[in-house]
Amino acid sequence: MLNMQNVTKIFRTDLVETRALSDFNLHVKEGEFVTVTGPSGSGKTTFLNIAGLLESFDDGVYDLDGENVRHLNDTQRSRLRNEKIGFIFQSFNLIPDLDLFDNVDVPLRYRGFNGSERKRRIERCLELVGLANRMKHLPAQLSGGQQQRVAIARALAGEPRFLLADEPTGNLDSKMAHSVMQLLKDINDEGTTIVMVTHDPSLAREAKRNIFVKDGKVSDVTHISASAPEPIASISASGARHV
Amino acid sequence: MFNYYLRLALLSIRRNPILSALMVAAIALGIGASMTTITVNYLMSSNPIPQKSDQLYYVQVDSWDPNEPAEEPNEPPEQLTWTDANNLYAAQKAQRQVIMATTAAVVEPPSQDAKPFNAYIRLTTNEFFPMFDVPFLYGGHWQASADKGREQVVVLSRKSNDKIFGGENSVGRSLRLAGRQFTVVGVLESWYPAPKFYDVGTGAFEEPEDLYIPFLLKEELQLPNGGNTNCWKTPEDDSFAGFLRSECINYQMWVELPEEQDKQAYLAFLNNYANEQKALGRFPRPLNNRLSDVMQWMENRQVVTDDARVMLWLSLMFLVVCLLNTVGLLLAKFSGKSAEIGLRRAIGASRQALFYQHLVETACIGLTGGIAGLALAYLGLLGIGSLYGSFADNLSSLDINMVLLALLLSLISSIAAGLYPTWRACSIAPASQLKSQ
Ligand SMILES: Nc1ncnc2c1ncn2[C@@H]1O[C@H](COP(=O)(O)OP(=O)(O)OP(=O)(O)O)[C@@H](O)[C@H]1O
Ligand SMILES: [Mg+2]
C-alpha cells in the first residue's frame, strides 16, 4: 500500500538546513493500523505530510498503491489525495461557516459526485460518527470531540483506502480520545489502512504496529497482537522494512 | 461546480461584511466616476446623424478683417454675414442647402388658459427638415415658396405643441407670434440630436428650439439676433437694415453634397463667389473658404471639450487607484482564508479549482460594485447634465450600451484586481496551514 525507501526531506531556510527525514524507510500493508510515535521534532508530521502528498521530498522513492508519486503534477496529486487518502488533523480544521453537512461535503465536491450520491455518503458518515442528528449545526456549536468526529466523517466520506491522522486526539481528553480511537479501530476493521501519529503511548499500543521515529528515521518497530500488548520485536534503524 | 463556488462566494462575502463592503465601495466609486466621464465623452463624440454625416457640409467663407484672422491660426469666421448667407442660398448650387439663425419672440397660445411665453425660434429654410432627417408627428415642412414669399408659417417642436395645443394635431391652427398671426404647418416628433450638430454655437448639448419659421421673416419682422454675433467692422448705420447689410456674422449655412465631385464643385463655386465679392470691394483676406462635414465640424468646434477629456483620464486614473485599493483589500481578505485554502488543498482541491472559486468571489464583488457604480454614474450624469445641457433626459438610446459597458468594465477590472491575490492564495502549500493553530 505505502512503501517509502530512503526518503529524505530537507527544509531549507536562509540560515539553516533541517533534515526532517533522512533515509526514512517504511512499508505499510493494506489493512494495517500503524501508529507513529517519537519525540517532538523527530519528523512525524513531515513523514505524514509526505505520505499524504501534501509535501514533496528531496530524495528516495515513495510508491503509493504501487504508483511512484515523485513526479506527479499538482492536479494529479490533488486527485490522488482526493480519491485515495483521508486526512484527520490535530486541530480539526473544520470550515467555521459551513454546517456539518457542508463540511463533510467538501472533499466530495472536488470528487465530482452528483447531489444524491453526496447526500447518501454524508448522511452515512455522519451516522457512523454519531452526529447524524446535528447535520445543520455549525462547528462552533459542537464540543471538541464532536468536531473531531466530524473531521473523521469528512475523511471517510470519500471512502479512502488510506487514512492519515496527525495526533487526532491531541486536543481531546482521554475519554474522548479513547472513543475516537475506538472509532478509528472500527474503521480499520472495515478494511481501511490507517497511519496515525500520536503522543499517547496507551493509544499507540492499541494499534497493530507502532513505529518509533527519531531524528528523521524509523528507529524502532513494535508489533502488537491482541494477546501480547508488550513489545515483541526491535529492528535497527536501517532495517525498518519488514515482511 | 459554479453554483457551489457562488454559494461559497456569498458565504465568504458575508463572513467579512465590512471588508467586502469596502471593496464594493472602492469599485463602485471607480466605476461610477469613470462611467460618468466615459458617457459624457461618448455622447459628446457620438455621430448625431450617422446615415449622412459625410454628405452634409458646414459652409465657411472668409469675409473677415484683412489684419487678423477670425480665429487663430488662420480660420475663416465661424458664421456668415446676412449678405453672404442670402447670396449663397439664392445660388442654389448644392443638391440641398439651408441657411439659418436663432431668435426669440413671445408666443400667445390661442387658448385663454395658456399664458404667453417667450419661445426660442429657429429661423431657417424649408430644406432644413429633409436635410437633417427631422421626423414629423403631424403635417410637414413648408414649401420653398413660403420662404420666398415670407409666409407666416410655423413648425412646432413636440414639446411646444404639447404646451400650446395640449398635444393635439394642430396643423392648420393658428397662433400669435411676435405679434403676428402664424399658421401651423407641422409638428415634430421628439427630436434631440446629441450633439445638436446643426448649430453648436449656442451650446452643443442644448435642446433644439421650440419653433421653426422661414428665414426671411428675420428681416420682415425685424426679429432680434440670437446666438453669437461678431463684427470686425462697425455697421455703417444702427438701423436694422444697416445691421443686415454689415460685415457682422450671425448666420449658419449647411449644404448637402452626396458625392466627392459635388463637394469639389461647390468649393470651386465658393472660391468663385469670394473672388466676385473681392471685385466688389469685400473679402479683403486671401481665399480661405471651407466645407466641413458633420464630424469634422464637431471636431473643429471642439464639441468634446478639453475638460471632458481631462476628466476622462483623471477618472480612469481614479479607477486604477480604486482597483489598487481593492487588490490590497483582497490580499487581506484572502490571507484571512489561508487556513481554509490549505485545508481544501489537503483534502483534494486542485490549485485550479481554488483559483476558480476565488475568481467567482472577486467577480461577485466586481459585479456588485459595477451595479452600485452604475447608480453613482447615473447621479453623476444628472449632476453633469446641469453643466453641459440636458443629456441625462435624452439618454434612452444609450442606456443599454452604457450599462453593459459598465458591467463589463467592472467585471474585467475586478478580475484584474483579483488575479494577483487569487494567485497568491492558491499557491499556498497545502501542508503549511494545517499545523495546530
Ligand atoms: N516548514 C518547515 N520549515 C522548516 N523546518 C521545518 C518545517 N516543518 C518542519 N520543520 C522541521 O522539521 C523537523 C521535523 O518537524 P515535524 O513537524 O515533522 O516534527 P514532529 O515529529 O511532527 O513534531 P511534533 O511531535 O512536535 O509535532 C523539525 O526540526 C522542524 O523544525
Ligand atoms: Mg507533528
Side-chain angles (χ1 to χ4, degrees):
Chain A
M1 176 88 221
L2 173 153
N3 193 2
M4 283 188 183
Q5 278 175 38
N6 301 321
V7 168
T8 300
K9 171 73 183 179
I10 302 169
F11 287 110
R12 289 187 179 82
T13 59
D14 293 343
L15 294 176
V16 285
E17 278 194 359
T18 315
R19 270 184 170 265
L21 293 183
S22 60
D23 291 330
F24 191 94
N25 291 303
L26 183 67
H27 182 87
V28 177
K29 280 187 296 184
E30 179 106 48
E32 261 197 294
F33 191 152
V34 179
T35 53
V36 181
T37 52
S40 183
S42 56
K44 304 182 296 295
T45 298
T46 307
F47 151 68
L48 213 60
N49 284 344
I50 291 173
L53 310 181
L54 293 176
E55 221 156 337
S56 60
F57 49 98
D58 298 283
D59 211 356
V61 179
Y62 171 25
D63 292 335
L64 178 66
D65 231 4
E67 188 176 4
N68 187 335
V69 301
R70 183 76 188 260
H71 300 292
L72 297 182
N73 67 25
D74 180 72
T75 317
Q76 292 166 321
R77 284 163 168 270
S78 302
R79 164 127 19 92
L80 268 186
R81 273 205 295 276
N82 190 229
E83 290 178 1
K84 293 201 172 154
I85 304 170
F87 282 99
I88 304 165
F89 310 96
Q90 176 176 356
S91 50
F92 326 118
N93 280 307
L94 299 177
I95 298 174
D97 45 12
L98 296 183
D99 63 24
L100 302 196
F101 186 94
D102 287 331
N103 261 293
V104 179
D105 189 29
V106 172
L108 302 180
R109 287 283 182 169
Y110 297 112
R111 191 77 169 266
F113 289 132
N114 67 28
S116 58
E117 172 68 9
R118 292 202 314 270
K119 188 161 183 287
R120 189 184 67 74
R121 286 177 177 236
I122 296 164
E123 282 169 358
R124 196 178 58 84
C125 290
L126 282 173
E127 190 104 42
L128 192 73
V129 300
L131 288 167
N133 55 343
R134 314 200 58 168
M135 235 149 12
K136 292 291 152 204
H137 283 62
L138 291 174
Q141 297 167 313
L142 302 183
S143 74
Q146 286 168 326
Q147 290 188 32
Q148 192 58 300
R149 286 166 180 277
V150 178
I152 292 172
R154 181 181 63 196
L156 293 177
E159 292 174 4
R161 307 248 315 280
F162 194 30
L163 200 58
L164 299 173
D166 194 355
E167 299 183 42
T169 59
N171 285 346
L172 304 177
D173 65 30
S174 77
K175 191 167 154 238
M176 288 263 213
H178 278 277
S179 87
V180 165
M181 188 65 191
Q182 191 54 50
L183 184 59
L184 291 178
K185 278 166 84 176
D186 293 345
I187 292 162
N188 177 243
D189 287 342
E190 306 269 302
T192 307
T193 313
I194 298 182
V195 175
M196 177 178 101
V197 171
T198 180
H199 274 131
D200 185 336
S202 71
L203 292 181
R205 269 196 300 275
E206 291 192 42
K208 292 175 185 157
R209 182 155 67 112
N210 172 238
I211 64 168
F212 187 79
V213 178
K214 198 179 165 196
D215 296 335
K217 284 189 168 68
V218 178
S219 74
D220 207 7
V221 178
T222 313
H223 290 268
I224 302 152
S225 67
S227 54
E230 294 306 309
I232 56 166
S234 288
I235 298 176
S236 71
S238 56
R241 292 228 283 145
H242 84 121
V243 184
Chain B
M1 223 38 195
F2 180 76
N3 286 342
Y4 183 56
Y5 293 151
L6 203 61
R7 222 182 90 208
L8 292 178
L10 295 181
L11 264 176
S12 164
I13 287 168
R14 243 189 310 169
R15 187 187 315 168
N16 284 314
I18 292 179
L19 213 52
S20 309
L22 279 176
M23 281 187 277
V24 168
I27 292 176
L29 282 177
I31 293 290
S34 39
M35 280 318 294
T36 306
T37 58
I38 287 174
T39 310
V40 167
N41 278 267
Y42 174 78
L43 273 183
M44 284 182 163
S45 57
S46 66
N47 187 338
I49 181 161
Q51 68 278 21
K52 58 198 294 191
S53 66
D54 54 352
Q55 296 174 25
L56 298 174
Y57 293 89
Y58 189 79
V59 178
Q60 285 171 287
V61 293
D62 201 339
S63 59
W64 213 246
D65 188 342
N67 300 316
E68 54 172 354
E71 276 174 46
E72 294 296 342
N74 185 26
E75 294 287 302
E78 185 195 343
Q79 299 179 103
L80 302 178
T81 62
W82 174 264
T83 315
D84 294 327
N86 280 289
N87 289 343
L88 294 176
Y89 180 74
Q92 292 284 315
K93 289 287 183 196
Q95 183 181 321
R96 279 172 178 155
Q97 46 255 298
V98 58
I99 51 176
M100 55 197 188
T102 53
T103 188
V106 173
V107 171
E108 298 165 59
S111 122
Q112 299 299 337
D113 321 331
K115 289 207 192 86
F117 64 95
N118 202 26
Y120 290 99
I121 297 169
R122 180 150 295 269
L123 291 154
T124 187
T125 50
N126 71 323
E127 284 174 332
F128 176 89
F129 305 95
M131 246 174 102
F132 297 141
D133 287 347
V134 186
F136 275 87
L137 182 61
Y138 302 122
H141 59 84
W142 60 81
Q143 299 306 310
S145 56
D147 277 317
K148 208 171 279 168
R150 307 181 178 203
E151 288 174 21
Q152 288 168 9
V153 289
V154 60
V155 168
L156 303 179
S157 74
R158 180 167 187 167
K159 215 165 159 183
S160 37
N161 186 55
D162 289 347
K163 191 165 167 184
I164 302 168
F165 295 106
E168 284 170 26
N169 182 352
S170 58
V171 173
R173 310 247 324 245
S174 52
L175 57 84
R176 282 183 75 78
L177 178 64
R180 306 292 184 95
Q181 201 71 17
F182 274 73
T183 307
V184 178
V185 294
V187 175
L188 300 186
E189 263 292 6
S190 295
W191 183 56
Y192 296 103
K196 193 181 131 192
F197 64 98
Y198 59 86
D199 183 10
V200 291
T202 49
F205 299 97
E206 293 302 317
E207 280 188 23
E209 291 74 12
D210 305 318
L211 311 173
Y212 302 78
I213 60 175
F215 184 75
L216 289 178
L217 290 174
K218 163 100 180 168
E219 190 178 29
E220 191 75 18
L221 307 183
Q222 303 209 347
L223 292 170
N225 298 336
N228 305 317
T229 308
N230 281 309
C231 312
W232 63 274
K233 217 175 170 181
T234 35
E236 279 157 21
D237 62 277
D238 350 316
S239 69
F240 192 83
F243 173 78
L244 293 186
R245 274 197 311 275
S246 74
E247 292 295 341
C248 295
I249 54 170
N250 184 230
Y251 310 93
Q252 307 102 42
M253 177 173 199
W254 286 87
V255 290
E256 184 170 338
L257 304 166
E259 306 289 342
E260 179 61 25
Q261 70 224 43
D262 302 332
K263 182 190 169 191
Q264 292 312 327
Y266 200 83
L267 207 52
F269 158 70
L270 286 181
N271 290 338
N272 226 342
Y273 171 77
N275 283 326
E276 275 171 40
Q277 294 299 310
K278 279 174 186 292
L280 296 173
R282 295 182 65 223
F283 285 55
R285 296 182 63 76
L287 280 187
N288 186 17
N289 305 320
R290 203 176 285 174
L291 291 172
S292 317
D293 71 22
V294 174
M295 293 318 275
Q296 285 167 342
W297 186 237
M298 298 301 100
E299 182 71 34
N300 181 290
R301 289 295 94 195
Q302 298 188 330
V303 163
V304 182
T305 53
D306 284 342
D307 50 327
R309 283 213 180 99
V310 171
M311 292 258 289
L312 175 66
W313 288 112
L314 282 180
S315 70
L316 288 180
M317 279 192 292
F318 180 63
L319 176 64
V320 170
V321 171
C322 291
L323 289 181
L324 288 178
N325 243 312
T326 311
V327 171
L329 292 168
L330 278 174
L331 279 174
K333 177 158 191 181
F334 288 170
S335 82
K337 285 178 76 175
S338 51
E340 179 187 332
I341 293 169
L343 173 73
R344 285 182 183 273
R345 294 278 285 130
I347 57 185
S350 64
R351 216 169 268 160
Q352 206 186 15
L354 282 167
F355 191 79
Y356 285 142
Q357 178 190 328
H358 290 93
L359 219 54
V360 170
E361 185 172 336
T362 6
C364 282
I365 290 171
L367 271 182
T368 317
I371 291 168
L374 264 180
L376 289 181
Y378 181 74
L379 292 180
L381 281 176
L382 285 184
I384 282 197
S386 56
L387 221 79
Y388 287 104
S390 47
F391 287 127
D393 309 343
N394 312 327
L395 266 176
S396 54
S397 63
L398 305 163
D399 268 353
I400 190 70
N401 286 341
M402 286 292 127
V403 167
L404 289 180
L405 181 67
L407 294 183
L408 201 70
L409 190 65
S410 56
L411 206 60
I412 290 174
S413 45
S414 65
I415 286 176
L419 278 182
Y420 174 65
T422 308
W423 173 81
R424 258 195 43 166
C426 297
S427 38
I428 287 174
S432 67
Q433 297 295 326
L434 299 171
K435 305 214 167 111
S436 49
Q437 294 139 333

